[in-house]
């Protein structure tokens, strides 16, 4: 990643949360945007999923209020499309024609909530609040994981091997045997790993290693 792109990513992720409203009903779009702005929350609306993709910054914290029935892709199909392109922004579905199969499919695919129109202002505010907090928590976890990955990048290949063995719970003597090196050398590498990973105990090292799972 270039310095410019890294700076752009950091700026987007540190921006205040935004609510993206995607609904082909203009009156609903306007009323929802007015509602969020009345509590000093940034909100932008789109009539189509295409307009949303052309303009929305998916790197910015926030959530998507998505209508089920839209021109072109349905809300449910668009949910799958967002997942395919790597977006993990939380979605709150809205519909005037919802049914149980629809809501089950949406929730199984990761939707935060499924609201049937007309809904109370407080219901939508609560759902959006939960969605944004979920997104912020995920981003905090990602930032912490990125920080750990940066520390791992400072390790030599041998130090990474020693770290993996330590995390598995192996003793120095076992590590030395498995890697074909002396126990003294293992101790030296192990000390370097603890210093570079900025930990003081094996338990701390294990916790940091667990943060990298699934990357």
């Amino acid at each position: 990643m270039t310095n410019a792109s890294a700076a752009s990513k950091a700026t987007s992720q540190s921006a205040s949360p935004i609510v993206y409203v995607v609904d082909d009903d203009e009156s609903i779009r306007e009323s929802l945007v007015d509602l969020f702005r009345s509590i000093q929350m940034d909100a932008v609306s789109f009539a189509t999923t295409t307009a949303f993709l052309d303009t929305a910054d998916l790197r910015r914290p926030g959530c998507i209020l998505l209508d089920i029935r839209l021109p072109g892709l349905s809300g449910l199909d668009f949910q799958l499309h967002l997942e395919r392109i790597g977006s993990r922004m939380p979605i709150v579905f809205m519909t005037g024609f919802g049914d149980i199969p629809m809501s089950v499919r949406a929730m199984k695919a990761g939707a935060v909530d499924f609201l049937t129109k007309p809904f109370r202002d407080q219901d939508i505010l609560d759902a959006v609040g939960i969605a944004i907090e979920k997104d912020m928590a995920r981003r905090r976890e990602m930032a912490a994981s990125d920080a750990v990955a940066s520390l791992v990048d400072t390790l030599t290949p041998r130090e990474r091997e020693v770290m993996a063995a330590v995390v598995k719970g192996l003793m120095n003597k076992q590590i030395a045997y498995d890697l074909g090196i002396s126990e003294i050398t293992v101790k030296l590498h192990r000390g370097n790993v603890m210093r570079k990973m900025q930990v003081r105990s094996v338990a701390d090292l294990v916790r940091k290693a667990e943060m990298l799972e699934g990357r």
Side-chain angles (χ1 to χ4, degrees), residues 11 14 18 51 78 87 98 101 105 108 115 128 134 148 162 166 174:
T11 299
S14 63
I18 186 170
F78 188 58
S87 171
R105 177 182 166 188
K108 282 186 174 181
L115 302 178
V128 165
K134 180 178 180 180
V148 173
V162 171
V166 171
Q174 295 171 297

Side-chain angles (χ1 to χ4, degrees), residues 5-181:
S5 60
S8 176
K9 177 181 179 181
T11 299
S12 295
Q13 293 188 345
S14 63
S16 59
I18 186 170
V19 181
Y20 291 117
V21 180
V22 185
D23 196 307
D24 59 347
D25 188 319
E26 184 177 1
S27 63
I28 290 179
R29 294 199 308 273
E30 291 179 350
S31 63
L32 286 172
V33 168
D34 288 344
L35 173 64
F36 294 119
R37 290 179 178 173
S38 72
I39 58 170
Q40 287 73 54
M41 183 175 290
D42 198 2
V44 179
S45 69
F46 303 93
T48 65
T49 56
T50 300
F52 170 82
L53 290 174
D54 286 344
T55 307
D57 183 358
L58 295 176
R59 298 167 299 176
R60 183 174 174 180
C63 73
I64 304 169
L65 274 177
L66 183 61
D67 190 28
I68 285 284
R69 298 178 185 272
L70 290 166
L73 283 179
S74 70
L76 292 173
D77 289 336
F78 188 58
Q79 180 186 29
L80 295 177
H81 176 73
L82 289 174
E83 182 179 353
R84 291 192 194 102
I85 65 175
S87 171
R88 298 179 63 188
M89 185 173 284
I91 295 174
V92 174
F93 275 106
M94 310 176 292
T95 180
F97 308 94
D99 55 25
I100 292 177
M102 270 188 182
S103 61
V104 169
R105 177 182 166 188
M107 300 301 282
K108 282 186 174 181
V112 174
D113 210 337
F114 191 98
L115 302 178
T116 302
K117 303 172 184 176
F119 38 71
R120 297 184 309 134
D121 287 353
Q122 193 59 51
D123 290 338
I124 200 73
L125 291 175
D126 289 345
V128 165
I130 292 170
I132 288 177
E133 179 51 41
K134 180 178 180 180
D135 191 47
M136 298 294 283
R138 177 183 64 82
R139 290 171 186 273
R140 287 192 293 269
E141 291 174 1
M142 286 180 58
S145 177
D146 288 345
V148 173
S150 295
L151 296 178
V152 172
D153 287 342
T154 68
L155 302 179
T156 65
R158 179 65 84 189
E159 288 167 351
R160 293 189 189 195
E161 290 178 331
V162 171
M163 174 178 164
V166 171
V167 168
K168 290 179 181 178
L170 299 184
M171 304 298 291
N172 290 345
K173 184 179 297 186
Q174 295 171 297
I175 299 172
Y177 178 81
D178 289 346
L179 298 182
I181 57 179

